[in-house]
Amino acid sequence: MSQNIEKTKKTLRFTAAQIAELVDYMSTHSDLASGRFSCAAGNSAMDRQWKALGKILEEHGPKKTVWRDLKCKVRARLADVNRASRATGNTTYAPPLTEIEKKVLAIIGTASAIGVPSMEEHGLEVELATGIGKFASAQEGLQSVASTIDKAVAAQLESNNLQAEANRNITALLTKVPP
């Protein structure tokens, strides 16, 4: 029983002209690109911007929602390029970013695709080593506390013994006193 498995070609949901218009529009409307409006009527302002952009995109092909797809695709491409360049032996090759992809990255930033350079990365090994170090430090601290408690208990026992001896001496003196 053999099956013919055919690869289906993914159809594009947008045209090159739409992408070019979209990137140009987003580069001049950073609030819309980031999804954040700082005015009181932010949602209505965002809706107006999306409608205006939709009309522009309709002129260059069928109306599609492409910004989210384009951002996702560009982030994935940047991650692929960085992964390939960091590979041991650098045997894998990823084609360089296109001008449109570079423009999109200039608008959305690269932190979501490659991380924040100033942030220290902690892998499992670092976290385990840190945890073991903290555990050892805590264990030393507990041993120090236990030693201090042992010394305090010994001192209290010595004090109790001295008190008991003093009480016996006083009792012995009181019983030897003539009437």
Side-chain angles (χ1 to χ4, degrees):
M1 180 173 172
S2 69
Q3 291 180 334
N4 291 334
I5 300 175
E6 296 179 23
K7 288 188 177 182
T8 58
K9 187 175 182 181
K10 207 173 194 181
T11 58
L12 292 177
R13 298 204 256 175
F14 43 84
T15 65
Q18 283 178 318
I19 292 175
E21 284 296 323
L22 176 65
V23 171
D24 289 340
Y25 191 86
M26 289 298 187
S27 65
T28 58
H29 297 86
S30 60
D31 288 341
L32 184 63
S34 66
R36 296 185 192 113
F37 276 83
S38 58
C39 62
N43 286 339
S44 61
M46 189 178 297
D47 289 340
R48 283 193 305 273
Q49 290 286 328
W50 278 115
K51 285 178 184 174
L53 178 60
K55 288 178 183 176
I56 293 170
L57 293 178
E58 279 180 350
E59 296 171 6
H60 299 284
K63 185 178 177 182
K64 310 282 183 180
T65 55
V66 297
W67 181 239
R68 182 188 61 213
D69 294 340
L70 185 59
K71 289 189 304 183
C72 183
K73 178 184 166 201
V74 170
R75 284 185 190 120
R77 279 271 298 123
L78 179 62
D80 289 343
V81 168
N82 284 328
R83 193 176 310 111
S85 69
R86 287 191 319 265
T88 305
N90 201 12
T91 58
T92 58
Y93 171 75
L97 297 173
T98 65
E99 288 303 314
I100 291 288
E101 290 171 331
K102 289 177 184 176
K103 283 183 180 179
V104 171
L105 286 172
I107 295 168
I108 65 172
T110 61
S112 63
I114 60 173
V116 179
S118 62
M119 302 247 339
E120 184 178 335
E121 186 174 329
H122 291 286
L124 181 59
E125 296 83 17
V126 172
E127 290 178 16
L128 284 175
T130 302
I132 290 170
K134 287 179 180 178
F135 178 76
S137 177
Q139 189 176 18
E140 289 172 6
L142 287 174
Q143 288 173 344
S144 174
V145 168
S147 174
T148 303
I149 290 172
D150 286 344
K151 290 176 185 174
V153 167
Q156 184 65 42
L157 286 173
E158 181 65 26
S159 174
N160 289 349
N161 288 340
L162 290 174
Q163 184 68 39
E165 188 177 338
N167 287 342
R168 282 192 300 271
N169 288 340
I170 291 174
T171 303
L173 285 174
L174 289 176
T175 54
K176 290 185 183 179
V177 176

